[in-house]
Amino acid sequence: ETGVTQSPTHLIKTRGQQVTLRCSSQSGHNTVSWYQQALGQGPQFIFQYYREEENGRGNFPPRFSGLQFPNYSSELNVNALELDDSALYLCASSRGGLVVSDDQNTEAFFGQGTRLTVV
Amino acid sequence: DQQVKQNSPSLSVQEGRISILNCDYTNSMFDYFLWYKKYPAEGPTFLISISSIKDKNEDGRFTVFLNKSAKHLSLHIVPSQPGDSAVYFCAASADTGTASKLTFGTGTRLQVTL
């Protein structure tokens, strides 16, 4: 079991509404990434936060936005929800800012996800 | 454009035998690769990773092989156990060897039968 927790676990929203998803990162991790996993697909990178700054963004529109707080927890906000936003949203925490040596493993630990349904 | 591809959506293997899951990638900037296992209603669980400076990494029953010239990696599970039944995702990063900004494949569903 990882130390990454997400809330809520399930959510139903109406098209056009706004939603906020939350993630607490694993102790010692300063980087949080958000992913969207549609049914039958692999997770797709939305964006990443490192030390409270956005540090990379995937191919998602600006209505997907985020925040990272001083304790490294994070929020994902989605405005003007569309039916296609229905998906599992995953948060991952990792130790960013490090170049991995030959003998180190580095991992991104995922939370259990938030299942968002837009109707 | 699918930069990480898992061309086998499913695989069935008998308990005790070897499971081989394959993954191909197109982006030559990827320098770190990971395998994740995912059960329904759970987040992906990290299994094993490999840096592009290596061609093999082992961890218990799991071995990952990387062929950079072919842009191909594979995950070997020996021996396969029923608890290994899950969806396996291959992921890649171009972020200087860190497990961030991952690009995932579409997954392979492994079923280990008795």
Side-chain angles (χ1 to χ4, degrees), chain B residues 97-108:
Chain B
T98 64
S100 60
K101 305 171 191 172
L102 299 174
T103 300
F104 282 82
T106 52
T108 296

Side-chain angles (χ1 to χ4, degrees), chain A residues 14-36:
Chain A
T14 303
R15 190 172 48 182
Q17 282 188 313
Q18 178 265 344
V19 70
T20 297
L21 310 182
R22 295 179 174 84
C23 171
S24 65
S25 60
Q26 180 144 320
S27 176
H29 285 183
N30 55 15
T31 300
V32 172
S33 304
W34 286 92
Y35 293 83
Q36 180 196 66

